[in-house]
Amino acid sequence: MTVAPLQDRTARREELLDAADAVVQREGADASMATIAAEAGITKPVLYRHFGDKGGLYAALAERHTARLLVDLRAALESGGTREERVRRTIGAYVAAIEAEPQVYRFLVRSTEVASTAPGQVRSFMAGVAGLLAQGLEHETGGGPTRSGAWAHGIVGMVQAAGDWWLEERPCPRQELVDELVGLLLGAYAVA
């Protein structure tokens, strides 16, 4: 008897997250609770009832998007092939994701609301990606945890910074950015 109300509440929460997603897709870092509530056809207090507070809603949105991207990146990292193929697939998956949903990216990375209310989601996501990468690097290069950790965090930061620049400037097609980053990671800088 208590299962139906819980299922109804869970379904309603997902509907509200869908409405929030629609606003974020349009407005990015400027998405507000008032706009999200209006999109859902409810008042802000109803929105707060489902998520506790603004931080709860933003954390749920961040979790939704970062979890999906982490699955894609994990698949790219763990699929077979040469080192270059894995690097290309992984960077390509990240850049394709920010290109497909630029406003979501801006919301997660630049929103002062997310930074002040749900900073753990994005930081946790980046740490998760770096952790996955570090495991692969340690296994593949035979280096220790210091090398693999430093390289992994450096790579994640580099790709995020380059993606941010590319998303705003659009100086080249996506594939060219991926090619340049892959080249840098595989030693092009050393021979340039």
Side-chain angles (χ1 to χ4, degrees):
M1 196 164 181
T2 60
V3 173
L6 179 59
Q7 287 175 338
D8 291 345
R9 183 166 171 77
T10 300
R12 182 64 175 146
R13 187 174 196 275
E14 287 301 311
E15 289 171 5
L16 295 175
L17 279 173
D18 290 343
D21 259 341
V23 171
V24 167
Q25 293 285 346
R26 284 193 315 266
E27 299 183 16
D30 296 328
S32 71
M33 293 293 282
T35 307
I36 292 168
E39 179 80 18
I42 59 172
T43 62
K44 284 192 334 185
V46 173
L47 197 56
Y48 287 129
R49 204 170 338 167
H50 282 272
F51 296 97
D53 61 9
K54 179 171 39 180
L57 173 62
Y58 291 153
L61 277 174
E63 171 64 27
R64 176 184 263 196
H65 288 287
T66 58
R68 186 177 64 223
L69 181 54
L70 190 58
V71 167
D72 293 345
L73 294 176
R74 182 184 306 265
L77 279 168
E78 294 176 349
S79 58
T82 66
R83 178 184 297 172
E84 181 177 345
E85 290 168 341
R86 289 189 310 278
V87 167
R88 186 171 301 285
R89 277 193 309 267
T90 304
I91 292 173
Y94 179 81
V95 177
I98 68 172
E99 181 181 43
E101 297 182 317
Q103 294 291 49
V104 170
Y105 175 79
R106 291 178 182 107
F107 174 77
L108 293 173
V109 174
R110 295 192 189 145
S111 171
T112 56
E113 297 292 345
V114 172
S116 66
T117 60
Q121 264 61 36
V122 175
R123 246 194 331 265
S124 177
F125 166 74
M126 298 308 265
V129 172
L132 284 172
L133 188 54
Q135 288 172 0
L137 285 169
E138 189 168 355
H139 174 74
E140 190 170 314
T141 66
T146 301
R147 174 188 284 175
S148 63
W151 286 10
H153 284 87
I155 291 167
V156 167
M158 177 193 75
V159 172
Q160 181 186 2
D164 191 43
W165 164 77
W166 175 80
L167 192 60
E168 294 312 310
E169 301 292 326
R170 297 292 176 125
C172 62
R174 174 173 34 104
Q175 192 55 52
E176 188 175 343
L177 174 68
V178 172
D179 292 344
E180 292 296 338
L181 292 173
V182 170
L184 177 59
L185 283 171
L186 297 180
Y189 181 73
V191 296

